[in-house]
Amino acid sequence: MPKNKGKGGKNRSRAKSDRDGKRELHFKNTDEGQEYAQVLKMLGGPWLEAYCFDGQKRLCHICGKMGRKVRIAVGDIVLISLRGFQDNKADVIDKYMPDEVRALKTAGELPETVKLNETEEGGEDNFEFGSGGEEEESAEEEEDSDKDDIDDI
């Protein structure tokens, strides 16, 4: 019996070759009924609720191959294909990475009001620290706590 080397099987090597640095940017094709949308809520399974930039909320279905390979989260920008027979439902075709969303904004494809989740992709976390007034308050609290010592009780 051959020993297991722990490197994975043939599917691992396929996955490594799929990780190209840049990929081609896909624009929407209005002739085929495509629209940009932002994910509002994950509903479970292959379903999500998205706000399309034409002003409607739609129930969207993530296609099979995409659901297994691409992780979609709340706030992501996706390309959806509208259904001709159901106006309130659509199918997710593609997910855009943060740098692709910035490129779409500069190209004028997305409205300027679109907010982008950048914290997961190495964006800066905006922490606000208090002013010097809080330090003075904490110093006063320490003095009060020195007065009320547990041995005095």
Side-chain angles (χ1 to χ4, degrees):
M1 184 81 102
K3 285 189 173 183
N4 187 0
K5 302 272 184 180
K7 297 285 186 180
K10 64 181 179 181
N11 290 334
R12 180 178 181 271
S13 60
R14 282 187 194 158
K16 283 180 106 176
S17 66
D18 288 343
R19 291 185 220 152
D20 296 318
K22 292 282 184 179
R23 61 180 190 152
E24 185 179 340
L25 186 62
H26 297 282
F27 293 106
K28 73 175 179 178
N29 188 349
T30 53
D31 297 337
E32 294 180 9
Q34 296 178 354
E35 187 65 42
Y36 299 112
Q38 187 166 18
V39 178
L40 296 177
K41 187 188 324 181
M42 298 300 293
L43 299 176
W47 293 97
L48 59 92
E49 185 178 331
Y51 175 76
C52 301
F53 295 128
D54 62 355
Q56 285 189 334
K57 284 185 185 177
R58 289 191 171 91
L59 196 64
C60 299
H61 181 267
I62 303 169
C63 298
K65 280 187 176 182
M66 188 175 174
R68 287 186 286 275
K69 291 187 178 185
V70 179
R71 294 288 176 223
I72 297 177
V74 174
D76 287 344
I77 305 297
V78 292
L79 179 66
I80 61 170
S81 174
L82 305 175
R83 295 181 179 180
F85 53 93
Q86 291 176 317
D87 192 40
N88 61 343
K89 290 188 180 178
D91 298 305
V92 177
I93 298 173
D94 197 8
K95 175 193 168 189
Y96 292 107
M97 303 308 277
D99 57 333
E100 294 172 332
V101 173
R102 282 188 224 99
L104 286 172
K105 269 187 175 179
T106 56
E109 292 284 321
L110 295 178
E112 293 296 322
T113 58
V114 174
K115 303 274 185 187
L116 176 63
N117 287 351
E118 292 184 341
T119 55
E120 64 198 33
E121 287 292 324
E124 293 183 18
D125 294 332
N126 295 327
F127 292 111
E128 293 185 18
F129 296 102
S131 63
E134 290 179 2
E135 292 174 3
E136 293 171 5
E137 291 175 11
S138 63
E140 290 174 9
E141 289 175 7
E142 286 178 14
E143 290 175 10
D144 291 341
S145 65
D146 290 342
K147 294 176 186 174
D148 299 331
D149 196 10
I150 199 160
D151 295 332
D152 295 337
I153 297 178

